[in-house]
Amino acid sequence: MPRLNAASRHRIGFTLNGRQVSLEAEPRLLASDALRHGLGATGTHVGCEHGVCGACTIQIDGQPARACLTLAVQLEGRDVTTVEGLAPGQDRLSVMQAAFRRHHALQCGFCTAGILMSLDAYLREEPEPSEQALREVVGGHLCRCTGYTPIIQAALEAAALLRGEPALKPQLRGPAHV
Amino acid sequence: MKPAAFDYIRAGDLQEALDALDRHGSDARIIAGGQSLLPMLNMRLARPSVLIDIMGIAGLDAVRRDGDAIVVPAGVRQAALMKRADLAGEQPLLAAALPWLGHYQTRARGTVCGSAAHADPSAEIPLCLVALDGEIRLRSRRKRRSVKASGFFGGMMVTDKGDDELIEAVAFPAARPGTGYAFREVARRHGDFAIVACAAVVTPDAIHLAVAGVADKPERRSLPLLDGSALTDALNAFAWDLDAREDLHATARLRRDLVRSLGLSTIEEARRCRA
């Protein structure tokens, strides 16, 4: 039964965006801080630090997770993806990222990394999402620019493109009643 | 916001977790998905000196059917229960309530038993347990016991769980023929804690209404099969009997009003759904 002492730093190893990494962490270190400060993966943004805003959302073994509600020691042996892992190459955006750019869904961009991670996980699970379902997924994030409408538009278009359909001009109904 | 320092124990099996809990007692906290505990640690509302992580324990993550109960062990994440095939047929109340339980992102990590252990008065899992008359299965190094949900939740984040005990599983009674189930909630944002949530169970001879978010724990009232003004009077009496909380999100008056109106519409829906 491994017991990690509070005052010491312990070596934690996991896969980050397909690459084996390790860092030293006290048990109380949050995954969000481990990624940013320990590994320099600053794409994961820190907002509220109590699980409300979703800016720090990452994927652990393909499932979305608030990095601020995860301890770095809980990443041991896991497969972690952050926003840095979404683009297929240095000079290329993922389908979802490109749709965000086309629809001006970024605005200030602070919450974007977390939203991309949630939508990426959700579309893998549900390739044909309804607009309502996407609104509920994005509802797990707070965007203070209130850019929700273009975000939903971008997500619907990305879902269509990922299904191999041509980019549509999605018809949106009025404001959300979620 | 950062947690205060703690030792971290990764339990390899249930016995290790129980031994550690026995040794450290009230200094220790069990961590599973961490979606309720981590905010408490980050805000330093909880400052345990030892965390015992049970998510690495094999065999705790499978929901099983045990007679007429749906048994959900400690490692089952909320999203996993939600994705259970035919949950809506097996227990429609759970199927209706789970989409309201936190957000897609927190359900992927948070466990069902963890929500019961946390005992937030606005939370959906304690509400469903109380509404359905479910049970909490507790285990310590010395013994195992099972507690009815009605006796388990004692107040805001207070339960009957001993310092040396962990919740091994919770059990939800499966749907019974001739009984209708419904769930409704009012929250500022879908997925946030309920201002008021109502769960109604209508059997052939009684109406049971449980409410969360109003008092300091989920409360249930059983009524005969009333309707019309007799039912609204009974709901009014229930609303006044509850020690309705007043906070930043809602006044006590709004909460009592929601017990009347949301409670009524939830009961009506459960009646319509009676098989």
Side-chain angles (χ1 to χ4, degrees), chain B:
Chain B
M1 290 175 289
K2 312 295 175 192
F6 50 78
D7 285 3
Y8 173 86
I9 294 175
R10 196 176 285 126
D13 58 39
L14 204 53
Q15 200 54 51
E16 284 185 359
L18 293 172
D19 288 345
L21 207 48
D22 195 63
R23 205 159 43 246
H24 298 289
S26 59
D27 293 335
R29 293 291 287 270
I30 295 286
I31 182 167
Q35 301 301 285
S36 300
L37 184 58
L38 254 302
M40 303 281 285
L41 295 177
N42 286 358
M43 292 187 272
R44 301 203 180 188
L45 294 169
R47 301 184 66 152
S49 54
V50 180
L51 276 196
I52 304 165
D53 192 339
I54 59 168
M55 283 317 267
I57 299 176
L60 285 183
D61 58 354
V63 181
R64 63 175 193 274
R65 193 61 190 264
D66 182 1
D68 72 344
I70 302 154
V71 178
V72 185
V76 177
R77 301 196 195 272
Q78 294 151 6
L81 180 60
M82 199 169 152
K83 285 178 196 152
R84 181 173 168 84
D86 197 35
L87 184 67
E90 211 169 22
Q91 183 36 267
L93 182 62
L94 273 183
L98 282 168
W100 289 87
L101 203 178
H103 299 281
Y104 167 66
Q105 299 82 355
T106 58
R107 289 194 298 266
R109 297 279 296 167
T111 63
V112 176
C113 289
S115 177
H118 185 59
D120 187 289
S122 302
E124 291 80 5
I125 290 294
L127 174 65
C128 288
L129 280 165
V130 167
L132 295 169
D133 204 19
E135 65 179 36
I136 290 89
R137 299 183 180 175
L138 297 157
R139 185 163 171 188
S140 71
R141 204 165 72 85
R142 288 171 191 78
K143 65 171 197 270
R144 275 182 152 132
R145 68 187 176 109
S146 183
V147 188
K148 281 281 182 194
S150 52
F152 181 73
F153 299 104
M156 180 134 0
M157 288 150 190
V158 174
T159 68
D160 181 39
K161 184 175 75 61
D163 288 336
D164 61 342
E165 288 179 314
L166 59 76
I167 298 182
E168 192 177 17
V170 293
F172 299 93
R176 293 192 183 91
T179 299
Y181 302 87
F183 175 90
R184 291 192 177 193
E185 176 168 323
V186 168
R188 288 296 295 270
R189 172 172 66 149
H190 184 112
D192 284 356
F193 278 113
I195 290 173
V196 173
C198 294
V201 178
V202 178
T203 68
D205 47 18
I207 296 169
H208 307 280
L209 178 69
V211 298
V214 185
D216 64 351
K217 60 184 167 68
E219 297 279 3
R220 184 172 103 131
R221 178 155 290 192
S222 299
L223 306 166
L225 289 176
L226 305 168
D227 44 27
S229 62
L231 180 56
T232 52
D233 286 351
L235 288 175
N236 187 38
F238 184 30
W240 280 111
D241 288 346
L242 291 164
D243 189 10
R245 290 184 295 139
E246 180 123 14
D247 58 24
L248 273 176
H249 308 289
T251 59
R253 178 182 169 162
L254 173 60
R255 288 193 157 94
R256 283 195 298 269
D257 262 349
L258 284 169
V259 171
R260 297 182 191 99
S261 56
L262 196 67
L264 183 63
S265 63
T266 312
I267 290 169
E268 283 169 348
E269 188 188 332
R271 272 192 158 142
R272 283 196 300 274
C273 297
R274 266 181 61 183

Side-chain angles (χ1 to χ4, degrees), chain A residues 14-21 35 39 41-44 58-59 78-87 117:
Chain A
F14 57 96
T15 307
L16 176 62
N17 300 325
R19 199 163 52 88
Q20 192 61 37
V21 295
L35 292 168
L39 296 167
T42 51
T44 299
I58 58 172
Q59 290 172 15
R78 301 288 168 188
D79 184 11
V80 178
T81 309
T82 62
V83 72
E84 287 93 340
L86 285 187
M117 298 316 292

Side-chain angles (χ1 to χ4, degrees), chain A residues 59-76:
Chain A
Q59 290 172 15
I60 302 174
D61 295 335
Q63 297 297 311
R66 308 283 210 218
C68 77
L69 297 187
T70 308
L71 299 168
V73 292
Q74 292 178 299
L75 299 181
E76 172 73 41

